[in-house]
Amino acid sequence: MKYNFNQIEAKWQKYWADNQTFKAENNSEKPKYYVLDMFPYPSGAGLHVGHPLGYIASDIYARYKRHKGFNVLHPQGYDSFGLPAEQYAIQTGQHPAITTKENIATYRRQLDQIGFSFDWSREVRTSDPKYYKWTQWIFIQLFESWFNYDTNKAEDITELIKLFEAEGNTNVNAACDDEVENFTAEDWNAFSSEKQQEVLLQYRLTYLAETEVNWCPALGTVLANDEIVNGVSERGGHPVIRKKMTQWSMRISAYAERLLQGLDTIDWTDSLKESQRNWIGKSVGASVAFNVLPNVTLSAVEGSHTIEVFTTRPDTIFGVSFMTLAPEHDLVSKITTPEQKAEVDAYIEATAKRSERDRMSDVKTISGAFTGAYAEHPFTKEPIPIWIGDYVLASYGTGAVMSVPCGDQRDYDFAKHFDIPIPNIFEGIDISEEAFADKDNTIIANSDFINGMNYKKATKRVIYELEQIGQGEGKTNYRLRDAVFSRQRYWGEPFPVYYVNGLPQMIDTEHLPVELPEVEKYLPTETGEPPLGNATVWAWDTESNTVVENDKIDNNTVFPLELNTMPGWAGSSQYFNRYMDPNNDEAIFSKEAIDYWQQVDLYIGGSEHATGHLLYSRFWQKFMFDKGYVNHDEYAKKLINQGMILGTSAFVYRAGGNIIELKKGNKARSFVKEIKFDKSIFIPLYYNEEEDSNFKDNLKKYMSSEDLEMLNSNPKYSWIVYNNEIHADVSLVNSSDELDVEGFKNWREEYKDAVFLDENGEVIKDNDVYKVRRDVEKMSKSKYNVVNPDDIVRDYGADSLRLYEMFLGPLEQYKPWNTAGITGVYSFLKKLWKLYYSSLEGGQEGVLKVTDAEPTKDNLKTLHKTIKKVEEDIENFSFNTSVSTFMIAVNELTAQKCRSKAILEPLLILISPYAPHIAEELWEALGNTESIATAPFPEFDESHLVESTKVYPISFNGKMRFTMELPLDMSKDDIEATVLEFDKTKDQLQGRTPKKVIVVPGKIVNIVG
RNA sequence: GCUGAAGUGGUGGAAUUGGUAGACACGUUGGACUUAAAAUCCAAUGGCCAUUAUGGCCGUGCGGGUUCAAGUCCCGCCUUCAGUACCA
């Protein structure tokens, strides 16, 4: 019998589906284990070989855990809302739901043929109303909650209302908007209902606010920062402007500290935790209030102003020699003196013109203006000049800093530039060249009551003194901003929100889901409203509690619905919990389900979600925990980031190509005289007839006649840069990097008559072998280096694909794909097959050759060595090394001519997580009637590995020279004596007496001297 | 700049607490089988030198150090990748 992988794989995939082999039960006698993948966005391009890497790893782990006796939850679904389907709808008019459905069908087919052990009965799709019903439900829960800093958790909004009714808001310690007016209980009770709603909105965990957003007029939507490249939209390159819009926001900043602390309790990679820590950006310091000195020239005395600053270095307060405000700071207009007004206004105008991006990229240029005003130092009472400068960001801290030039390089540079004094407050530190920012090795000087103190002590003391005079306190700042939660898009979750007098009202949860309406066009409306503005049936009837036609809006019982939709991360922020009970229509999940599954034990996915999905979902989980819906405030115990599989692009060089640059001027003389060959080709058009009479002929070789003509009629150009490097489709290149020239020429019309060049720029003749240049790049369609798993499965089988993806290298690492290498694992599978089936000559069917023979000592040693290593490897997620281990085991057992069922049967269980189809097939051939999926993992027995001797490496001065086999129970002294007596030792020593002999029993012998 | 990860043959990568560097594969070369190719099998394969029983020298990004012994530990650099960026 031959190893017919296509037939075997189809057979077992059908068997698993028919028998629901991997269906997880919500209650079981077995211990539970939850293995989760980041669910994919089903794009139109389908999967390439890079996509399944993480899924294969998690599948191996899930299958391993089943062998280890666990009830494993290993679900899969689709993050199926998103922009590409919407863009496609805009272009073609096809409803995104149809596109999405088609793409999902492709994904499912591709996933199925790789043989994953997903429990498909639990599939979720974020765009399915049955699913997003619960996304809307969570949104409402957030709306109905506020964050109490006293209890450090989210509480019901009704609790807050009770507090307001009883005592106003002065004693409420809540996460809320920056500028909330103070009111008493009487005030509150006297407020109109609208006023009360407005106030509450400032406290809710999801709230409406005027937010400055990146607005792209051409696309008619708000873009996230990472959708903007070089100041224009990533898609289409349209200009992006800053615009204020009323948007839903999530008060994630309330959870900043808990999100930070929680990182210490979870087993995620350090780099990922570090990313999140940086993103949260906690800074501990103090806020200090500086009083602005009244200025005699300012006639209107509007009372006193104070500038509040945040600093992480209160210990340097005596080093302040100026203050700097962001140009946008509110106080600027109020404190600027008449003499300085012109200069300040000019500066503000100049800064306003510079885009955010210019300001960021142009860090080097120092600019600013003096306001003419002075503030009073809180301790010395000396006047401090107040400047404005765009190195101070309005959006961080208070938008103002106390500038300590001796301790901060930016302040230092600013002071140098504007000739502001730089007082030195560090003992024995030279600051004539640059600022001294090292706070750990500092003794403070010239600083009144903190002289001689170190950073820690001085900081404490300064904060204490500031508190005494009421001009400051210890404060912690976070970089984490609230997350904008509105998108001006069609293909997303609609909000369960309608508006009464402009104030948002939640739709009762019992009427969810509010389904996405149909629209004619998926673009924003002509008046600039989001795509849902095109919907004609998009109003909420509060009597029937249904969505009705817009023309019924009377703002009495029928109201307009929210036109924005939710962002991509909404649907992915609780999907892991929904998998526990995905078909529940009564609740997001049942209590029984969450109590049983608890939390994700292992989560595998890409690191690109470090500060997006992985942070937002932690936030929602903490919220769900506060509300008592879940029992862990971190949802994933352990997280592994799989690395990316890169493509190995193939490059060919053709004569001609695309002109990428034309240069003029006689500078060409100093450039290459010859034609230089690299990624691009430089052709100097200046040449000396005498020196190179062939040059003109050569030019014809490299350039098209049109280009040549254009240049001849355009004498101002003196050299030309061609990009003659083109990507060849990797499928046209064989394992020895040789191009199928014929195929390549037929691949594209324009390559039909193309002339190719070799590495020296020489023209390749028809019968020459063309070797392509290979380089590793990200796998992408445009680089023609995409490898489709369908092809691999067809040619080598899913088991080969699975093994090879793991064999490529460590899971977390970035590594290139090279299809040629797959023959290694493929022949391994064939060798494995041959251990079980004899191959008979002449195409006859082989017969099963496994017998009940007693295993030999060697057989047992190989098996148990393999059990031990594979078990360790899986536990350490070192899947690449276990593939090697399998290869070694099969090679050894083949050499041993092992036919013993006692060896070959457990071997299948070891291999089954990696190559489940072949394992099932051979398992069945051995007479098993049940799937191998839950067969118990073989027990490792140390006794089979016990050796009586050890081949000792004998080294001299640390260098291994030869080996000696010695009994393991030999004593140190006996080993030393035996080794020293050995002839080869004497040869090595050549008469010298060893100074020292190191004997590590069971390890090594090292002779020094 | 800061943070994190990583530098090992032609390539992907192995190497427990420091203890035989290069496992396992790919590729390459030679051979067997074949009319031929594919497939399969066998052998060699870090570099340099020597020898034809055997051997020697150098080798894990660079420079130091600790140690009987360093890819592994310490100090100082260099390079690459990723994230982040005037965060006070």
Side-chain angles (χ1 to χ4, degrees):
Chain A
M1 203 175 180
K2 225 184 128 218
Y3 171 44
N4 185 342
F5 51 84
N6 283 326
Q7 186 227 312
I8 292 170
E9 289 172 3
K11 169 183 164 187
W12 288 102
Q13 282 160 15
K14 183 169 187 304
Y15 174 94
W16 296 328
D18 290 349
N19 292 280
Q20 302 206 43
T21 309
F22 307 115
K23 196 172 193 306
E25 297 302 333
N26 272 8
N27 42 59
S28 164
E29 293 298 301
K30 295 176 177 179
K32 69 99 193 180
Y33 201 88
Y34 185 178
V35 183
L36 180 69
D37 292 299
M38 287 186 188
F39 61 172
Y41 173 78
S43 82
L47 293 172
H48 64 58
V49 290
H51 293 122
L53 179 74
Y55 303 155
I56 295 171
S58 64
D59 198 57
I60 290 170
Y61 205 79
R63 286 175 180 272
Y64 167 75
K65 279 289 179 185
R66 287 192 199 98
H67 289 305
K68 280 286 185 181
F70 287 84
N71 178 29
V72 173
L73 174 55
H74 187 36
Q76 187 59 289
Y78 303 96
D79 190 10
S80 49
F81 271 132
L83 201 52
E86 177 159 337
Q87 293 287 51
Y88 190 72
I90 291 167
Q91 285 157 20
T92 65
Q94 175 164 297
H95 197 286
I98 296 171
T99 312
T100 303
K101 208 178 156 195
E102 288 173 359
N103 292 350
I104 285 177
T106 306
Y107 263 64
R108 179 62 190 272
R109 180 186 60 73
Q110 290 192 295
L111 290 171
D112 280 349
Q113 69 177 2
I114 301 173
F116 292 117
S117 65
F118 293 130
D119 177 358
W120 283 108
S121 72
R122 293 172 184 258
E123 178 193 311
V124 301
R125 301 179 185 190
T126 55
S127 60
D128 181 351
K130 282 191 178 134
Y131 177 88
Y132 69 64
K133 168 178 178 176
W134 300 105
T135 312
Q136 293 175 334
W137 176 84
I138 293 172
F139 176 84
I140 295 170
Q141 305 310 306
L142 284 153
F143 185 82
E144 302 295 356
S145 303
W146 63 293
F147 194 89
N148 187 345
Y149 280 126
D150 287 338
T151 57
N152 203 22
K153 56 182 272 205
E155 293 179 6
D156 205 281
I157 200 80
T158 51
E159 297 297 316
L160 185 64
I161 295 170
K162 274 185 212 156
L163 282 172
F164 287 170
E165 283 169 348
E167 48 179 283
N169 71 346
T170 36
N171 291 323
V172 171
N173 188 10
C176 60
D177 289 2
D178 286 339
E179 278 144 37
V180 175
E181 59 177 309
N182 285 333
F183 53 81
T184 62
E186 293 73 46
D187 293 338
W188 173 261
N189 294 324
F191 285 161
S192 67
S193 159
E194 275 85 6
K195 173 79 184 173
Q196 288 185 343
Q197 288 183 48
E198 279 168 23
V199 170
L200 286 173
L201 204 48
Q202 297 179 307
Y203 288 85
R204 297 179 189 273
L205 282 180
T206 183
Y207 60 98
L208 274 177
E210 281 259 296
T211 322
E212 214 177 53
V213 294
N214 305 304
W215 174 252
C216 179
L219 294 176
T221 189
V222 162
L223 298 176
N225 282 329
D226 55 7
E227 291 169 319
I228 304 165
V229 178
N230 296 337
V232 295
S233 66
E234 191 182 22
R235 230 168 245 278
H238 304 292
V240 175
I241 56 168
R242 306 283 295 169
K243 185 182 169 184
K244 284 213 164 179
M245 281 180 77
T246 301
Q247 306 260 305
W248 284 101
S249 281
M250 287 281 163
R251 217 178 286 283
I252 187 174
S253 58
Y255 282 89
E257 186 62 31
R258 280 174 59 190
L259 287 167
L260 189 66
Q261 297 301 329
L263 290 173
D264 296 334
T265 68
I266 47 182
D267 183 9
W268 293 17
T269 60
D270 287 338
S271 70
L272 200 139
K273 288 196 206 176
E274 203 54 32
S275 291
Q276 294 210 346
R277 283 194 193 102
N278 289 341
W279 196 257
I280 294 166
K282 181 179 184 178
S283 324
V284 179
S287 78
V288 187
F290 286 77
N291 295 321
V292 179
L293 290 168
N295 191 300
V296 283
T297 57
L298 282 174
S299 51
V301 181
E302 315 170 31
S304 55
H305 295 297
T306 56
I307 299 173
E308 197 158 318
V309 301
F310 173 74
T311 177
T312 54
R313 295 291 304 273
D315 59 312
T316 63
I317 196 160
F318 289 94
V320 174
S321 64
F322 61 102
M323 307 195 63
T324 317
L325 308 183
E328 299 91 338
H329 199 282
D330 289 342
L331 275 182
V332 174
S333 59
K334 292 176 188 157
I335 60 168
T336 303
T337 60
E339 305 86 68
Q340 292 299 113
K341 193 172 186 320
E343 191 189 331
V344 165
D345 286 352
Y347 181 71
I348 291 172
E349 209 193 317
T351 343
K353 269 192 199 151
R354 294 174 73 196
S355 70
E356 186 100 335
R357 184 183 150 255
D358 288 344
R359 267 174 78 169
M360 281 201 277
S361 59
D362 186 21
V363 175
K364 291 273 168 334
T365 315
I366 295 158
S367 66
F370 178 45
T371 62
Y374 291 84
E376 178 192 72
H377 192 284
F379 297 120
T380 67
K381 305 293 175 195
E382 277 173 31
I384 304 165
I386 303 169
W387 288 69
I388 60 174
D390 66 3
Y391 79 96
V392 176
L393 302 176
S395 57
Y396 182 79
T398 59
V401 299
M402 58 174 225
S403 301
V404 184
C406 66
D408 182 289
Q409 196 57 41
R410 289 156 306 170
D411 294 344
Y412 186 91
D413 295 339
F414 194 88
K416 274 264 153 139
H417 190 262
F418 290 108
D419 267 326
I420 305 169
I422 304 176
N424 191 350
I425 53 151
F426 303 122
E427 206 165 286
I429 301 291
D430 173 24
I431 53 151
S432 60
E433 292 296 330
E434 57 179 7
F436 181 77
D438 180 3
K439 59 188 177 190
D440 293 325
N441 303 304
T442 315
I443 300 297
I444 304 290
N446 302 325
S447 296
D448 197 355
F449 54 83
I450 52 171
N451 279 336
M453 292 185 187
N454 62 16
Y455 156 77
K456 259 193 164 164
K457 269 186 136 176
T459 298
K460 249 188 161 170
R461 178 74 191 274
V462 167
I463 291 173
Y464 172 80
E465 295 291 342
L466 283 169
E467 281 167 357
Q468 293 307 300
I469 57 173
Q471 275 188 258
E473 59 187 348
K475 197 180 169 183
T476 303
N477 232 4
Y478 299 91
R479 199 184 79 108
L480 184 68
R481 301 282 89 143
D482 283 346
V484 176
F485 198 68
S486 296
R487 296 290 183 274
Q488 293 68 48
R489 286 179 187 150
Y490 175 75
W491 194 230
E493 296 87 349
F495 284 86
V497 173
Y498 63 95
Y499 288 88
V500 176
N501 293 330
L503 286 167
Q505 312 295 323
M506 293 298 121
I507 288 169
D508 237 355
T509 53
E510 65 186 283
H511 307 305
L512 298 181
V514 178
E515 293 196 33
L516 201 51
E518 295 304 318
V519 292
E520 289 259 318
K521 276 165 57 193
Y522 301 97
L523 282 168
T525 67
E526 279 161 18
T527 53
E529 284 178 333
L532 292 193
N534 291 316
T536 52
V537 184
W538 195 236
W540 188 249
D541 184 333
T542 52
E543 288 188 329
S544 67
N545 287 309
T546 51
V547 176
V548 297
E549 291 81 3
N550 292 5
D551 52 25
K552 294 196 176 143
I553 292 173
D554 56 9
N555 287 311
N556 184 23
T557 60
V558 179
F559 301 94
L561 279 157
E562 168 73 52
L563 299 181
N564 289 292
T565 54
M566 298 186 196
W569 57 271
S572 58
S573 294
Q574 276 293 301
Y575 79 113
F576 38 86
N577 287 330
R578 180 67 178 166
Y579 277 137
M580 296 173 184
D581 194 9
N583 300 313
N584 193 332
D585 284 332
E586 305 302 315
I588 182 165
F589 39 75
S590 69
K591 184 148 179 6
E592 293 73 33
I594 192 83
D595 283 347
Y596 180 73
W597 293 111
Q598 300 277 321
Q599 66 185 138
V600 176
D601 294 286
L602 173 66
Y603 194 17
I604 295 185
S607 57
E608 66 271 23
H609 301 106
T611 52
H613 158 64
L614 289 175
L615 193 63
Y616 296 131
S617 48
R618 289 183 60 223
F619 156 46
W620 279 27
Q621 179 76 0
K622 289 184 186 303
F623 169 72
M624 292 288 279
F625 177 77
D626 289 350
K627 302 292 272 185
Y629 294 114
V630 298
N631 29 40
H632 292 272
D633 81 336
E634 292 289 349
Y635 67 90
K637 249 190 209 168
K638 180 173 178 68
L639 181 138
I640 292 179
N641 293 127
Q642 89 270 16
M644 200 185 287
I645 291 188
L646 303 166
T648 313
S649 302
F651 297 97
V652 301
Y653 299 92
R654 74 182 280 209
N658 304 318
I659 297 175
I660 51 177
E661 213 177 349
L662 280 165
K663 294 265 177 179
K664 44 190 169 180
N666 57 8
K667 215 179 161 190
R669 282 168 189 273
S670 59
F671 275 92
V672 275
K673 186 168 74 73
E674 297 155 57
I675 288 160
K676 194 177 153 232
F677 186 83
D678 193 6
K679 282 194 178 178
S680 46
I681 192 159
F682 295 82
I683 303 179
L685 301 175
Y686 169 85
Y687 60 98
N688 187 325
E689 291 275 354
E690 282 165 32
E691 273 178 36
D692 185 2
S693 53
N694 295 325
F695 197 90
K696 210 155 195 171
D697 290 340
N698 267 327
L699 275 186
K700 283 184 195 156
K701 197 168 79 183
Y702 295 114
M703 299 167 66
S704 70
S705 49
E706 294 89 43
D707 288 349
L708 205 57
E709 199 175 310
M710 183 269 295
L711 285 161
N712 281 337
S713 59
N714 233 331
K716 63 178 178 178
Y717 296 116
S718 57
W719 63 288
I720 184 170
V721 181
Y722 265 109
N723 174 16
N724 63 340
E725 182 180 69
I726 40 183
H727 281 94
D729 196 296
V730 286
S731 63
L732 296 167
V733 180
N734 74 8
S735 58
S736 305
D737 291 350
E738 290 159 2
L739 181 70
D740 169 10
V741 177
E742 201 54 36
F744 181 72
K745 288 193 172 187
N746 290 329
W747 181 43
R748 289 266 181 295
E749 186 60 33
E750 65 263 36
Y751 299 158
K752 244 197 163 70
D753 301 311
V755 177
F756 297 116
L757 308 170
D758 69 12
E759 284 170 44
N760 301 312
E762 293 296 322
V763 172
I764 305 251
K765 292 180 212 75
D766 272 357
N767 296 323
D768 289 352
V769 171
Y770 191 98
K771 275 214 164 193
V772 297
R773 187 177 76 85
R774 305 223 75 160
D775 212 344
V776 172
E777 298 181 290
K778 205 169 166 176
M779 221 176 247
S780 97
K781 236 178 169 178
S782 64
K783 293 177 176 125
Y784 300 105
N785 59 4
V786 173
V787 180
N788 191 326
D790 298 5
D791 298 339
I792 303 294
V793 168
R794 184 195 62 218
D795 297 342
Y796 302 97
D799 286 337
S800 286
L801 175 72
R802 294 170 61 107
L803 281 171
Y804 189 51
E805 296 235 351
M806 293 299 104
F807 188 61
L808 280 176
L811 180 61
E812 292 96 331
Q813 201 165 300
Y814 278 56
K815 52 216 171 240
W817 176 271
N818 184 5
T819 304
I822 201 170
T823 55
V825 294
Y826 179 52
S827 40
F828 155 74
L829 287 175
K830 286 192 285 191
K831 278 186 218 164
L832 174 73
W833 186 262
K834 282 190 200 158
L835 269 181
Y836 297 78
Y837 279 103
S838 61
S839 55
L840 290 186
E841 302 298 320
Q844 291 182 51
E845 284 226 331
V847 288
L848 194 68
K849 58 186 189 185
V850 181
T851 68
D852 288 327
E854 272 297 304
T856 66
K857 236 184 137 202
D858 281 349
N859 293 163
L860 285 164
K861 191 178 161 190
T862 298
L863 176 68
H864 284 272
K865 197 171 74 174
T866 308
I867 295 172
K868 182 168 192 267
K869 180 79 170 99
V870 169
E871 192 163 350
E872 280 169 8
D873 283 347
I874 296 182
E875 299 285 0
N876 294 321
F877 304 96
S878 174
F879 301 116
N880 54 326
T881 50
S882 33
V883 179
S884 314
T885 306
F886 292 140
M887 290 174 171
I888 294 167
V890 167
N891 288 344
E892 285 181 5
L893 292 174
T894 304
Q896 293 162 14
K897 299 201 163 48
C898 173
R899 294 179 165 208
S900 168
K901 189 176 175 185
I903 301 295
L904 296 177
E905 194 171 58
L907 179 69
L908 291 175
I909 303 171
L910 298 182
I911 290 178
S912 128
Y914 292 78
H917 308 88
I918 194 173
E920 288 274 26
E921 182 70 17
L922 293 171
W923 181 255
E924 187 188 49
L926 293 186
N928 293 290
T929 49
E930 294 248 314
S931 163
I932 198 172
T934 51
F937 205 77
E939 287 288 332
F940 168 61
D941 183 351
E942 180 88 49
S943 67
H944 297 297
L945 300 192
V946 173
E947 300 274 357
S948 56
T949 62
K950 153 90 188 167
V951 179
Y952 277 92
I954 312 299
S955 38
F956 292 81
N957 296 319
K959 280 174 190 154
M960 205 281 287
R961 294 300 163 183
F962 57 85
T963 55
M964 266 179 96
E965 188 168 355
L966 297 170
L968 265 170
D969 55 6
M970 205 179 206
S971 74
K972 246 177 133 171
D973 291 346
D974 289 349
I975 292 173
E976 183 171 336
T978 315
V979 170
L980 288 176
E981 274 305 303
F982 194 55
D983 286 349
K984 279 191 178 177
T985 310
K986 290 177 177 161
D987 288 352
Q988 283 292 332
L989 287 170
Q990 289 183 320
R992 282 166 300 169
T993 320
K995 284 184 193 144
K996 205 176 187 183
V997 179
I998 310 277
V999 178
V1000 185
K1003 280 255 163 92
I1004 199 170
V1005 177
N1006 190 19
I1007 297 161
V1008 187

